[in-house]
Amino acid sequence: MYPRLPHVTGYLTEHVAEDDFVTLEGYRARGGWLAAERALREMSPEDVVDQVTASGLQGRGGAGFPTGQKWSFMPSDPDGPSYLVCNADESEPGSFKDRLLLERAPHKVLEGILIGAFATRAEKTFVYVRGEYSRAADVFESAVEECRTAGILGRNALGSGFGHDVVVTRGAGAYICGEETGLLESLEGRKGMPRKKPPYPAQVGAFGRPTTVNNVETLAHVPHIVANGPEWFRGLGTEESPGTTLFGVSGHVSRPGLYELPLGTRLDEIVFEHAGGVPGGRKVKAVIPGGLSMPALPAGQLDVPMANESLRERGTFLGTGGIIVMDDTTCMVRVACVTTWFFRDESCGQCTQCREGTGWLHKLCERIERGAGEDADLDVLRDVSASMEGQTICAFADAAAWPVQGFLRHFREDFEAHVRLAKCPFPASFEL
Ligand SMILES: Cc1cc2nc3c(=O)[nH]c(=O)nc-3n(C[C@H](O)[C@H](O)[C@H](O)COP(=O)(O)O)c2cc1C
Ligand code: SF4
C-alpha cells in the first residue's frame, strides 16, 4: 500500500492507493486506455482538439493557458517531425501533485500523452522529469516499456496507424528548467536558459521543430475528457475554471496532503475542513494559495474560491495549487528571507532585472530580519520588486517579485516592527 495517501480523491486520483494501478494490467482492469483507443481509432486530431477546447481545460503547470487553444497552434500539415513535451520538472516549493501522478498513475499520464500527441500530430513525446524525482522517473520508464511491449506505443500505436514513442529524460535539479523554454534548452543539452519569445514553441520548439509543452496534471485530465465529454468536465468546477485539480497542502496544518477538489472550492474549506486546520490551537496568519511564487493572503481573506477569476480579485493566483499555511508564530520577514533566497539562488542570470533584483530583494529582507533595516528599505523593496515585473525574458522575475509584494501588502507591520525594534519580534518563529 502506498504510504502517502491523498486525503481526498476524485476522477484523477481514484485508485492511486491500489498497488496494481501502476501496472498496465491494473490500469486496463479499471477502464484504462479505452479513451485513447477511441481517440486514435474513431476521432480525427481536429475532433480531439475541439473536445478539449470545448471542455475549457486550462493548463495546470501554473499559467492556466487554455489547453485546446495551445494544441490548435500546432501545424496541421507539418513538413517534418513535431513533438510533445510533458513538463514533469515540478520544482515550485509547495507543489507535489505531479509526483503523485507520475508515481501512482503513470498509465493515466501516458494515456493523456498519447491522446495529446495524436491531437497535435507529434511523433515523439519527451517527458522531462525533475532530477530529484528518481523514483517517479523509474516508475514512469517501466510504464513506457510496458506500453512499447504491448503495442500501445510504437509505429502502430494501439493498432491505429498513428506512430508514437515516449522518451523519459531527467533534469539535474534546476527550478528554471520548469520554464518551458529553459526546459527545451536543457532537453537539447545546453544550460537551462529560457529563450526569447517569439518564436513560441509551437513554431520553433524542441530541436527546432514545432512543440507543445504541457504539464503532467494537464495531460492526466485529457483521457477523462475524451471518455466523458466536455459537458461532463464543464459540470465540475466553475464556469471559467472547469474540472477538479490537485491541491497540495503543506505547512502548519494537521493533515498535510493532496486533495483533489473542484476548482472554485473555498480556500478556508481546504485549510480547515480537509487539511484539519492549524494544530495546537494556534491561528492561521498567512496562506500562500498556489506555490511560493504567488502572493500570500492574510487570515481574513481565506473565504475565496480557489479559481483564478476569484483569486485575481484578491491580488493573487492559483499557480500550481500548492497551498502553504503559516500559523501566528510565523515571522513574515523570515518567510520573505527564505523566499527571496530561493529565487536569488535559482535565477539563471541572463536578465539584469532578475539577476540583480533577486539579489537585492534577499539582501534587504535579510538586513531587516537582522534588525539592521531602515524605514526606507521597505520602499526600496517595493520599488525593486516593481522594476522586475514584465521586463525579462521569462516570467521567473515576476514570480520572484510577486511574493515580496504580497508580504508588503498584507504584513507590512511585521517589517515595520523589525525596523522599529531593531530585532525580530517573533522569537518562536522557524529558524533561518
Ligand atoms: C520559472 C518558471 C518555472 C516553471 N516551472 C514549471 C514546472 O515545474 N512544471 C510545469 O508544468 N510548468 C512550469 N512552468 C510553466 C511552464 O513554463 C509552462 O507554462 C507549462 O509547462 C505549460 O503547461 P500547461 O499549459 O499544461 O500548464 C514554469 C514557469 C516558470 C516561469
Ligand atoms: S527572468 Fe530570470 S530566470 Fe528568466 S531568463 Fe531572465 S534571468 Fe533567467
Side-chain angles (χ1 to χ4, degrees), residues 176 193-194 346-351 354-355 392-397:
I176 195 56
M193 300 251 193
E346 296 290 344
S347 166
C348 87
Q350 283 188 94
C351 316
C354 180
R355 185 185 61 243
T392 50
I393 293 174
C394 85
F396 177 102

Side-chain angles (χ1 to χ4, degrees), residues 336-352:
C337 283
V338 291
T339 305
T340 51
W341 174 85
F342 173 79
F343 286 109
R344 189 203 64 182
D345 211 45
E346 296 290 344
S347 166
C348 87
Q350 283 188 94
C351 316
T352 312

Side-chain angles (χ1 to χ4, degrees), residues 24 28 33 36 40 107 114 146-154 156-159 162 164:
L24 175 56
R28 275 202 152 134
W33 287 110
L40 270 62
H107 283 279
L114 187 58
E146 275 188 301
C147 288
R148 282 198 193 117
T149 308
I152 293 172
L153 295 172
N156 185 19
L158 288 166
F162 174 68
H164 195 70

Side-chain angles (χ1 to χ4, degrees), residues 57-67 70-71 85-92 95 97-98 128 130 174-183 194 197 212-219 293 320 343 394-397 399:
L57 174 65
Q58 294 163 346
R60 304 293 202 246
F65 195 83
T67 306
K70 184 184 277 193
W71 289 3
V85 168
C86 172
N87 190 342
D89 195 50
E90 188 171 59
S91 309
E92 179 77 9
S95 181
K97 67 195 176 73
D98 295 340
Y128 188 98
R130 174 182 173 156
Y175 173 73
I176 195 56
C177 290
E179 194 281 337
E180 58 186 10
T181 59
L183 186 160
K197 291 173 257 190
T212 306
V213 182
N214 276 136
N215 169 258
V216 170
E217 186 195 327
T218 310
L219 292 163
S293 312
T320 58
F343 286 109
C394 85
F396 177 102

Side-chain angles (χ1 to χ4, degrees), residues 24-324:
L24 175 56
E25 203 188 337
Y27 185 63
R28 275 202 152 134
R30 294 169 182 87
W33 287 110
L34 292 177
E37 279 180 15
R38 183 157 150 219
L40 270 62
R41 292 188 191 154
E42 297 167 24
M43 295 168 77
S44 68
E46 291 83 1
D47 291 340
V48 180
V49 173
D50 287 349
Q51 284 228 349
V52 172
T53 305
S55 75
L57 174 65
Q58 294 163 346
R60 304 293 202 246
F65 195 83
T67 306
Q69 198 185 344
K70 184 184 277 193
W71 289 3
S72 73
F73 297 152
M74 290 291 281
S76 55
D77 191 14
D79 57 359
S82 299
Y83 301 120
L84 176 64
V85 168
C86 172
N87 190 342
D89 195 50
E90 188 171 59
S91 309
E92 179 77 9
S95 181
F96 44 96
K97 67 195 176 73
D98 295 340
R99 177 175 167 200
L100 177 97
L101 293 170
L102 294 164
E103 287 185 359
R104 302 303 308 167
H107 283 279
K108 184 174 299 210
V109 178
L110 269 169
E111 188 173 6
I113 284 175
L114 187 58
I115 298 171
F118 174 71
T120 57
R121 300 173 174 83
E123 68 165 48
K124 194 172 277 185
T125 295
F126 298 98
V127 182
Y128 188 98
V129 186
R130 174 182 173 156
E132 294 89 336
Y133 281 11
S134 53
R135 177 175 168 190
D138 290 348
V139 171
F140 203 77
E141 266 174 350
S142 302
V144 169
E145 208 41 62
E146 275 188 301
C147 288
R148 282 198 193 117
T149 308
I152 293 172
L153 295 172
R155 281 169 197 230
N156 185 19
L158 288 166
S160 65
F162 174 68
H164 195 70
D165 197 17
V166 173
V167 177
V168 179
T169 59
R170 298 178 193 227
Y175 173 73
I176 195 56
C177 290
E179 194 281 337
E180 58 186 10
T181 59
L183 186 160
L184 295 174
E185 285 290 298
S186 172
L187 184 68
E188 293 179 16
R190 289 186 290 275
K191 283 187 193 170
M193 300 251 193
R195 299 174 180 169
K196 285 194 183 122
K197 291 173 257 190
Y200 293 93
Q203 301 157 309
V204 181
F207 308 101
R209 301 300 310 166
T211 302
T212 306
V213 182
N214 276 136
N215 169 258
V216 170
E217 186 195 327
T218 310
L219 292 163
H221 286 279
V222 170
H224 296 280
I225 292 168
V226 169
N228 300 313
E231 285 313 313
W232 164 81
F233 193 73
R234 281 206 168 271
L236 299 158
T238 69
E239 203 175 329
E240 281 184 54
S241 304
T244 66
T245 200
L246 289 170
F247 294 106
V249 190
S250 61
H252 296 143
V253 283
S254 299
R255 289 193 296 276
L258 272 167
Y259 300 87
E260 183 180 350
L261 294 163
L263 283 164
T265 304
R266 270 172 52 154
L267 181 54
D268 48 8
E269 179 189 324
I270 300 173
V271 171
F272 296 107
E273 291 178 32
H274 298 293
V278 178
R282 303 216 66 96
K283 292 192 163 60
V284 171
K285 178 166 182 175
V287 178
I288 297 173
L292 196 64
S293 312
M294 298 301 141
L297 290 169
Q301 292 200 24
L302 306 189
D303 57 342
V304 60
M306 287 292 283
N308 266 330
E309 65 272 18
S310 329
L311 286 162
R312 197 178 298 124
E313 286 173 14
R314 306 271 171 111
T316 189
F317 299 98
L318 183 69
T320 58
I323 297 169
I324 305 170

